[in-house]
Amino acid sequence: MKELEEKINAEGIVAEGNILKVSSFLNHKIDVPFMNEVGKEFYRLFQNDRVTKILTIEASGIGIACLTAQYFNVPVVFAKKSKSKNLTDDVYATEIASFTHKNTNQVIVEKRFIQPEDRILIIDDFLAKGNALKGLIQLTQDAGATVVGAGIVIEKAYQDGGKLIRDTGVRVESLARIASMSPETGCVFLHD
Amino acid sequence: MKELEEKINAEGIVAEGNILKVSSFLNHKIDVPFMNEVGKEFYRLFQNDRVTKILTIEASGIGIACLTAQYFNVPVVFAKKSKSKNLTDDVYATEIASFTHKNTNQVIVEKRFIQPEDRILIIDDFLAKGNALKGLIQLTQDAGATVVGAGIVIEKAYQDGGKLIRDTGVRVESLARIASMSPETGCVFLHD
């Protein structure tokens, strides 16, 4: 998505340690009118897949998932990162390691919110090593539901998460795929 | 908002310990078409207030904030609960105690995302003791920006947070105000 690549290079900050900060439009401040266009693009890509629910993970995925869901006219379910007393024990759970935060979270979804007949579109802001996406696929499969695919805003295509997950047969659509990046040159994008 | 009150009594679960679970439409599964109507109602209430940004706090506030923001055609900023290495030190910070999770979080917003000329509408899912709302007002005031008001989906009006904050002169609009609730009777709403 050309407008997204332009926005990443205009507003994104590449920092030491393989960090891309897009907090000006994606994961701290959210450019809602722009993210609506991202949501429309996910709809264009998956509109024929009879999506019944969008699954994401807190926190950064929630905004883009909600803006996308309105085009599909379906609900969002967001996996939660820790066990609150507001949740029952009747949950699917998996462990997800975070590259950014250097920790591992138990992630849960209440069982009643994913049914075997559901056709799940997974939406997330980033794909790098693929840990979050693998976890969300696992939760969907635990529920006996169908993963129709994953819509990712930014993929770090020089890391192996996308390849590993595509190799399992899951359709992954990333709107911007970064081939390489550095503080000096910014991001170079992959088109294939 | 009558449809919201009906939805709370149809789908909400009142549990022991003063807990209202609305995870079927608000804070785990999000009923996006319904929450769009909630967003339109916030727009109706604040449309003449020259809102420039919507401020909320992760995680449950993000979805409703994004769906609301599109009617105002403004961005969302969500305060973050802990310090990630993706954030600079150039932040406003405050402490917010959580009733639900029985803990206290440091909450931060990057300074560049709230400017003195901003007119901030705060959006959140719940108001009870008012700790989150007080924290978000504090962050806005630290930035020298204007709080035009707060839009709350569900207020536990039998707790004192709403009164305390209204007494400081901040306009608080809650779409459902719970006067009392119990596992036996469900929720009784306040209309004034």
Side-chain angles (χ1 to χ4, degrees), chain A residues 64-175:
Chain A
I64 178 62
C66 284
L67 294 170
T68 301
Q70 60 189 342
Y71 299 107
F72 290 91
N73 203 32
V74 299
V76 164
V77 175
F78 62 93
K80 297 195 159 199
K81 276 183 183 162
S82 66
K83 194 153 191 170
S84 141
K85 73 186 174 85
N86 271 11
L87 293 169
T88 69
D89 290 333
D90 203 14
V91 298
Y92 300 112
T94 190
E95 300 276 328
I96 296 182
S98 167
F99 169 77
T100 308
H101 298 284
K102 308 274 186 222
N103 61 8
T104 296
N105 290 293
Q106 179 170 255
V107 170
I108 58 173
V109 172
E110 286 190 51
K111 289 181 178 174
R112 62 187 170 134
F113 295 142
I114 307 184
Q115 300 295 324
E117 61 271 24
D118 272 323
R119 296 177 57 80
I120 302 286
L121 171 61
I122 297 169
I123 294 284
D124 208 1
D125 55 346
F126 270 97
L127 169 59
K129 288 179 170 294
N131 292 322
L133 186 48
K134 273 184 272 185
L136 294 173
I137 291 168
Q138 182 64 54
L139 291 172
T140 305
Q141 291 173 339
D142 289 349
T146 303
V147 177
V148 304
I152 303 295
V153 183
I154 302 174
E155 178 178 347
K156 292 178 173 174
Y158 56 88
Q159 291 191 270
D160 61 0
K163 178 176 180 349
L164 287 172
I165 290 164
R166 289 182 180 97
D167 284 350
T168 68
V170 173
R171 177 182 172 199
V172 180
E173 297 280 0
S174 302
L175 302 191

